[in-house]
Amino acid sequence: MIGIYNYTILFTLFGTISGVIGIKEAALGNIECALFCLLLCGFFDMFDGMIARTKKNRSEFELQYGIQIDSLSDVICFGALPTTIALQVTNPLGIFCGLSILYLVATISRLAYFNVEEAIRRTKETGSRKTYTGLPVTNAALIFPCLYLLSFWLKESFPLIFLIGTLITAILHVSKLQIPHLKIKGLIICLIAGLLIISCYFILQMNIRFEQISSFLFYF
């Protein structure tokens, strides 16, 4: 059986599974569940590289295999999943919701560019890179849940705002911005941000439920 199956790609596979489940839930209209899966994808992506680097004396084949499978997983987790979410959320806009597909185009373009750029860089220098060209696609794990939080305040205009946010993110993916490579502190900040997003969602949901119960009691 071809392929490499050990603990170095375990989190990558977990992320892929989360991405596929998220796509299914988004297609069924369960946006909150899909966004939670997207957050999980981001969590697994944060640590898959660290776990892979704990294996000493990896062969060049193992290294390249890990890079490729991680990139293919990113297409599902941070390309197809956010695009499916965006298509569902912006569906009230009619034909204009199709613009969300541009996000997937930008994502695969960004990933392909990064793979080529990284392969060329490795022939000239060693060690980890200090900056990325364009916004890494993994940032979708925080951006899209943050965008969705706006739905608690915006009603009719929310699909349009979500579409604009999606397109801006797509542009940032293929821009020439130089983004610093996150170190341990940066990853911890991202993890805390993810937990804060989940906390905000539950607090807002509880507030809505409380208002509904209060209105019901006041009616009687």
Side-chain angles (χ1 to χ4, degrees), residues 110 113-114 117-118 121 128-140 142-143 168-183 186-187 190:
R110 166 73 176 80
Y113 181 88
F114 173 78
E117 184 186 48
E118 182 66 9
R121 185 190 72 85
S128 60
R129 61 194 302 135
K130 295 181 179 180
T131 60
Y132 293 104
T133 302
L135 183 71
V137 300
T138 52
N139 284 273
L142 292 177
I143 292 174
I168 291 174
T169 306
I171 293 171
L172 291 176
H173 284 333
V174 294
S175 69
K176 292 186 177 182
L177 288 174
Q178 295 300 307
I179 309 296
H181 176 65
L182 291 180
K183 303 298 182 181
L187 294 176
C190 288

Side-chain angles (χ1 to χ4, degrees), residues 30-97:
N30 301 324
I31 305 301
E32 292 85 358
C33 184
L35 287 168
F36 180 73
C37 288
L38 181 57
L39 283 167
L40 277 181
C41 290
F43 172 79
F44 290 128
D45 185 80
M46 284 174 59
F47 298 103
D48 61 356
M50 294 182 188
I51 292 174
R53 285 189 290 272
T54 62
K55 189 175 187 300
K56 304 300 181 181
N57 301 318
R58 281 190 296 168
S59 67
E60 183 62 23
F61 184 88
E62 289 177 310
L63 179 62
Q64 292 301 322
Y65 181 86
I67 292 173
Q68 293 302 319
I69 197 171
D70 181 70
S71 183
L72 292 171
S73 177
D74 286 349
V75 172
I76 295 172
C77 298
F78 309 112
L81 174 52
T83 301
T84 307
I85 292 172
L87 285 170
Q88 284 285 0
V89 172
T90 61
N91 188 57
L93 298 176
I95 192 173
F96 293 103
C97 75

Side-chain angles (χ1 to χ4, degrees), residues 174-200:
V174 294
S175 69
K176 292 186 177 182
L177 288 174
Q178 295 300 307
I179 309 296
H181 176 65
L182 291 180
K183 303 298 182 181
I184 297 297
K185 289 183 179 179
L187 294 176
I188 292 174
I189 292 173
C190 288
L191 182 60
I192 293 173
L195 293 174
L196 287 175
I197 290 172
I198 294 174
S199 299
C200 287

Side-chain angles (χ1 to χ4, degrees), residues 198-215:
I198 294 174
S199 299
C200 287
Y201 175 79
F202 279 110
I203 290 173
L204 290 169
Q205 282 284 23
M206 289 176 63
N207 185 53
I208 291 175
R209 296 290 184 270
F210 178 76
E211 290 179 353
Q212 290 174 340
I213 293 173
S214 297
S215 299

